[in-house]
Amino acid sequence: MDDTEGVSRRGVLAALGAGGIGALGGCTGSTRRDAIVAAATEPESSGAVPSGGTATARETEIETETSAMTEQPSPSLEGNGLSNVRGAVYLPYRVFNHYQMWDRYAPAEIERDLTFASNLGLNSLRAFASYTVWRENPAAFRDRFDHFLGAAADRGIAVLPMLFESIGVDPTPSNVARDIPIRSPGGAVLRNRGRWGETAEFVRWFAARYGDHEGLLALEVMNEPGELDHRVAFVREMLRVARETHPTVPLTVGCKTLDLNRQYADAVDALQFHHNLPPTADQMRQKLGEASDLSAEVGKPVWLTEWQRTRAGPPDKMLPNYDSLADVVRDSDIDGEFFWQLMLNPAYNLKVRSMGRINGVFTEDGGVYSLEGARALAGFDEWDAPQIRPEWTETAGSE
């Protein structure tokens, strides 16, 4: 970074994690530069939420869990911070939607999972924010996201928050407690332009509070908005609000396909596409080449923000098999990639969940579902952790 010459990005991230949002809040120009440089010289902190007492038994147990695996150094983000991105999609263990993540937020478990990500050599995580929880309890959401971003930064991880989610059912009181995807905002808001001021308030708050945080990779306005006119219009309006609020914060949209990026190419700083289950590695290689071509055409970086495995092949098409694609993705010319997902969970999509699909790498006790898959993701054959198959996974896979 131009204003922190001689200070590593990881050191800056660690220092900002220790100081939380307060390390940057209200700072501009040279004041902000001095705050970053000064903070980077301080000893690293755990990023933990102060508890006012000794560690709980669970916190001690979690610390033990994270010590059993190899630590793989994370690559540094390059250029403008939007290249050399290596990440994962993140929902905590046995958490199924954005509402559950932020309503049940457990700081010690979040820090444990962030350490798992760092040990795997990741430098980024893509995670849902929750407009719904923010509407219900803005102070609680603020404190929790402050902690999340600070703890991630402390571990050299930049966060890509998804502000809104198009997939799922409306966020009613009965729905949010269910283990199903929850859309945000609800359909009544999304289809009524007169109510977009409600969501714009959230975008303004988020961009103003976190736009300058070194632990932020970019703001993803919505996951998979698709092609419906009212959704495209909504996303473009939220992009406008974010840009107006913070002219320099990087913006992006979670497009499902490469072509859908053309709806927003003039308003975003990074392109995205999802390619979760290609039939073969060669087909994934072809799609990655098309992504590089689009990036060159538009003049903006491109990220593959969801990928899982090839559709067919051993050991079972419904079980994790990251080693079927990890080398192909890593060897491509795209600027970043996020596999789905860091923590072992039943599939997010209800249809394939009912068919027995599971995704993820880490169990809550520090093991990995597939050591071969974890090593492929780390890019290091000697990377090590216990291989653990939780009891609930025994019924997963094809019938």
Side-chain angles (χ1 to χ4, degrees), residues 201-215:
E201 182 183 358
F202 177 57
V203 173
R204 289 190 188 95
W205 174 83
F206 205 101
R209 185 168 185 83
Y210 302 116
D212 284 327
H213 197 293
E214 290 289 331

Side-chain angles (χ1 to χ4, degrees), residues 368-379:
V368 294
Y369 183 83
S370 167
L371 182 56
E372 187 176 1
R375 285 174 171 170
L377 291 167

Side-chain angles (χ1 to χ4, degrees), residues 54-115:
T54 58
T56 66
R58 180 60 183 146
E59 288 168 341
T60 302
E61 181 182 350
I62 286 172
E63 184 176 350
T64 301
E65 291 161 358
T66 61
S67 65
M69 67 186 68
T70 308
E71 180 177 354
Q72 174 72 342
S74 302
S76 298
L77 298 172
E78 294 179 349
N80 58 2
L82 303 181
S83 297
N84 201 30
V85 177
R86 290 195 58 215
V89 176
Y90 176 60
L91 280 167
Y93 187 75
R94 305 298 289 179
V95 166
F96 297 89
N97 57 57
H98 62 84
Y99 186 91
Q100 290 180 356
M101 176 173 176
W102 296 102
D103 183 59
R104 305 174 185 176
Y105 193 83
E109 294 183 10
I110 295 292
E111 292 185 21
R112 173 201 67 195
D113 297 352
L114 291 169
T115 300

Side-chain angles (χ1 to χ4, degrees), residues 142-164:
R142 176 201 64 212
D143 292 346
R144 293 164 189 171
F145 203 88
D146 282 2
H147 170 260
F148 180 61
L149 203 60
D154 193 33
R155 290 157 176 80
I157 293 172
V159 175
L160 175 62
M162 296 171 270
L163 300 186
F164 302 108

